[in-house]
Amino acid sequence: MFSCVPATGWNAQFYERQMLISSYIWNGAVSSFDTLSHKTRKLGQFKPTAILQWESDETSPISFNDGGNLPNEGFTRRHGGSLGGDPTQDPRSRVTVDVRQQRQAHVARELYQLSGGLAPGDTAPPAAMTDVPNDIWCNPADPRGGMSTF
């Protein structure tokens, strides 16, 4: 039986999540960033280098509101990095990601660069980004890797 023990500080944010079972989040590209239907893309439609899962930002409970995130919703800070400061600039923080069911470690700063920065709610890469689609904005049905319909 799961007991929801009151927590304080950083641990309290864990209990604010809607998802408690995993720290991994699917890249929203697997559903073309469509939150209204239950359709998903087949893994074979993605490039072999596509990042389809990652550990999300544990300091942001909203990152765990469902099973999929936008690439700009944040990445974990707990593997070698600092919980304070700017996560987009931390050279020590590592994020475990899944690339075609193989675990890899990436520097969080590099993932933030691929995501184009922090603008929660955007369903497409920032317009200024010219290197899209990339390994994280990777919806195979959109020329820029962002939202599309089936």
Side-chain angles (χ1 to χ4, degrees):
M1 182 172 152
F2 179 74
S3 173
C4 203
V5 178
T8 59
W10 182 69
N11 288 331
Q13 291 173 328
F14 177 83
Y15 294 103
E16 293 175 24
R17 299 177 181 181
Q18 291 180 21
M19 281 185 28
L20 300 174
I21 197 164
S22 178
S23 61
Y24 286 89
I25 294 293
W26 280 95
N27 186 338
V30 300
S31 66
S32 295
F33 303 104
D34 177 0
T35 60
L36 300 178
S37 75
H38 293 92
K39 296 179 182 178
T40 58
R41 302 241 169 240
K42 295 187 183 288
L43 294 181
Q45 293 178 278
F46 293 90
K47 292 182 181 179
T49 57
I51 297 172
L52 300 178
Q53 284 186 321
W54 59 79
E55 284 187 285
S56 197
D57 185 356
E58 62 279 341
T59 66
S60 175
I62 192 67
S63 294
F64 297 92
N65 63 327
D66 54 23
N69 276 1
L70 297 163
N72 50 5
E73 288 190 70
F75 307 97
T76 188
R77 302 179 189 198
R78 65 190 172 129
H79 299 294
S82 169
L83 291 178
D86 185 353
T88 67
Q89 301 303 315
D90 190 342
R92 297 171 301 145
S93 184
R94 301 288 185 268
V95 179
T96 303
V97 301
D98 262 356
V99 178
R100 297 293 283 264
Q101 300 178 349
Q102 293 181 343
R103 299 271 160 113
Q104 299 177 355
H106 282 264
V107 176
R109 181 172 58 185
E110 294 169 1
L111 293 176
Y112 278 108
Q113 288 170 347
L114 283 175
S115 74
L118 298 173
D122 289 341
T123 55
M129 286 184 69
T130 57
D131 59 342
V132 286
N134 59 33
D135 287 344
I136 203 160
W137 285 106
C138 58
N139 175 10
D142 183 72
R144 290 183 49 80
M147 187 176 194
S148 71
T149 57
F150 281 85

